[in-house]
Amino acid sequence: MNNPQTQHIYMMDHVKRESAYRPGEDFAAWQKAAREKLGALLGMDTFEKCEDNLQIEWTKDEAEYTEYRLLFNTEAHYQARAHLRVPKGAQGAVPVVICLQGHATGMHISLGVPKFPGDEETISGGDRDFARQVIAKGYAALALEQRGFGECGGTEKGPACYQPAMAALLLGRTILGERVWDISRTIDLLEKHFPQTDVKRLAVMGNSGGGTATIYAAAMDERIAAAMPSCAFCGYKESIGVQYHCSCNYVPGVMRSFDMGDLTGLIAPRPLVIVNGLNDTIFPIDSANREYETTEKLYAASGAPDMCRHIVGPEGHRFYAALGWPAFDALTGWKR
């Protein structure tokens, strides 16, 4: 009884989820109010738009695509980094997928380009070369470096999220909110500068911390037409509530308003493919299955019961390309 987690677990078991959808409630009105609440929890009122000051640092032609190295401002004193690959031979604008790595050494993992010791195993051992997969489908791929990772605060040994996550809390914001903001400003960038990309057919995908950012971004920004989070979907209690996780996963007070299944309801009726690993111990599958029941109910309430899928791969904490992409294709119906 002297462990503070005893009290925390009791509270998590009895929390009310004040912003959860109630049967019979007007669904559109619920989404509007819940999205505003989530934005407040993330600290989205602390952000201001600025000029993007886009710099195309270099352009490279490959056999299958043209790659652009991008530097741009999402806030006045923060410069984001990204790589955009546009497939060659496309007739008109093509769908575009924003690719988000989790707690790895950086966005180069999404590009399938190892830079540091261990990167090759990270890429090949979990289908984490998202941009290569997207290009193979004939879509454009944008690999965005997340704050605290890779070139935006990380090191060759891995992420360095703790200090910026804690500093954000001092300022009434969250690093998750900062990542959501960066994703939304990236969409602005594509709309303004890259007509080769069809932002009306824009998806976000990511594994682990990239999957978490995918869920929050798709919940907040309705321009995201489809989402495929991997190994990030689970009840708060069973994942980040009772297990050690990076500080960048935490949003103060979120459990008093939502659980993860409520957040995915904010994505409805847009196509949503949730990927989990059967043996992923840090996002336990039993909890993920329970939360997906909430997702299904909310998609049904939105009038789109067939627009969500739950894919469970046979292994652990990784993406499952052979299972995820067919479900994504079936829901979106996108063509090159």
Side-chain angles (χ1 to χ4, degrees):
M1 295 293 288
N2 63 334
N3 186 337
Q5 273 289 73
T6 302
Q7 177 66 29
H8 295 157
I9 291 170
Y10 175 84
M11 294 177 71
M12 286 187 283
D13 284 337
H14 294 85
V15 71
K16 299 292 186 183
R17 289 169 49 227
E18 295 168 355
S19 295
Y21 177 75
R22 311 302 177 196
E25 189 175 0
D26 180 86
F27 191 79
W30 169 76
Q31 279 192 320
K32 182 177 185 296
R35 192 169 285 119
E36 290 174 355
K37 178 64 177 179
L38 180 60
L41 293 169
L42 290 169
M44 303 310 295
D45 61 335
T46 67
F47 295 88
E48 292 184 5
K49 287 188 177 183
C50 66
E51 292 296 324
D52 60 49
N53 301 314
L54 172 64
Q55 300 175 45
I56 300 179
E57 197 170 27
W58 49 256
T59 302
K60 181 168 58 177
D61 279 323
E62 298 287 356
E64 297 179 343
Y65 57 83
T66 302
E67 182 168 347
Y68 305 87
R69 160 78 175 185
L70 310 179
L71 310 178
F72 58 101
N73 283 86
T74 59
E75 295 190 84
H77 303 288
Y78 177 73
Q79 187 184 63
R81 278 130 168 85
H83 286 245
L84 174 64
R85 290 178 176 176
V86 179
K88 289 186 174 178
Q91 300 298 315
V94 296
V96 55
V97 181
I98 296 175
C99 305
L100 305 171
Q101 276 304 316
H103 287 71
T105 52
M107 64 179 168
H108 56 278
I109 300 296
S110 287
L111 298 170
V113 179
K115 289 173 62 175
F116 305 117
D119 282 351
E120 289 189 15
E121 183 179 350
T122 299
I123 294 166
S124 63
D127 293 340
R128 294 182 176 91
D129 54 347
F130 306 140
R132 289 201 299 206
Q133 298 167 32
V134 170
I135 285 291
K137 296 180 69 61
Y139 303 163
L142 187 142
L144 176 66
E145 196 77 279
Q146 295 206 79
R147 299 198 197 197
F149 297 165
E151 297 180 38
C152 293
T155 73
E156 66 178 69
K157 295 181 179 179
C161 306
Y162 179 81
Q163 195 280 329
M166 295 296 102
L169 297 181
L170 292 175
L171 295 164
R173 55 165 65 185
T174 60
I175 197 169
L176 257 176
E178 292 176 340
R179 291 170 180 171
V180 168
W181 180 262
D182 292 344
I183 292 164
S184 291
R185 300 291 70 77
T186 299
I187 298 172
D188 292 344
L189 189 87
L190 292 170
E191 288 178 333
K192 182 177 179 181
H193 298 286
F194 295 96
Q196 314 96 303
T197 63
D198 181 358
V199 294
K200 295 189 182 303
R201 293 184 292 170
L202 180 144
V204 181
M205 69 177 298
N207 188 70
S208 192
T212 299
T214 295
I215 292 169
Y216 280 91
M220 290 298 301
D221 194 327
E222 295 178 87
R223 294 176 299 174
I224 296 171
M228 186 159 57
S230 171
C231 288
F233 180 78
C234 186
Y236 284 125
K237 175 195 169 186
E238 291 80 9
S239 56
I240 65 175
V242 299
Q243 300 190 58
Y244 178 86
H245 276 255
C246 180
S247 54
C248 67
N249 287 285
Y250 294 84
V251 177
V254 71
M255 279 195 75
R256 295 176 62 180
S257 293
F258 305 104
D259 212 329
M260 193 61 78
D262 303 310
L263 297 191
T264 50
L266 295 178
I267 303 172
R270 292 166 283 156
L272 171 66
V273 178
I274 296 170
V275 180
N276 280 100
L278 181 65
N279 300 317
D280 185 353
T281 58
I282 60 174
F283 292 95
I285 192 61
D286 288 347
S287 177
N289 286 336
R290 287 194 298 272
E291 287 304 305
Y292 187 68
E293 291 176 5
T294 299
T295 304
E296 286 186 305
K297 291 175 183 176
L298 292 173
Y299 265 75
S302 78
D306 298 325
M307 295 306 290
C308 58
R309 296 283 190 278
H310 191 201
I311 303 300
V312 180
E315 299 175 19
H317 192 72
R318 51 162 293 178
F319 182 53
Y320 297 88
L323 301 176
W325 284 115
F328 181 92
D329 293 342
L331 292 187
T332 64
W334 293 351
K335 304 295 182 184
R336 176 171 174 168

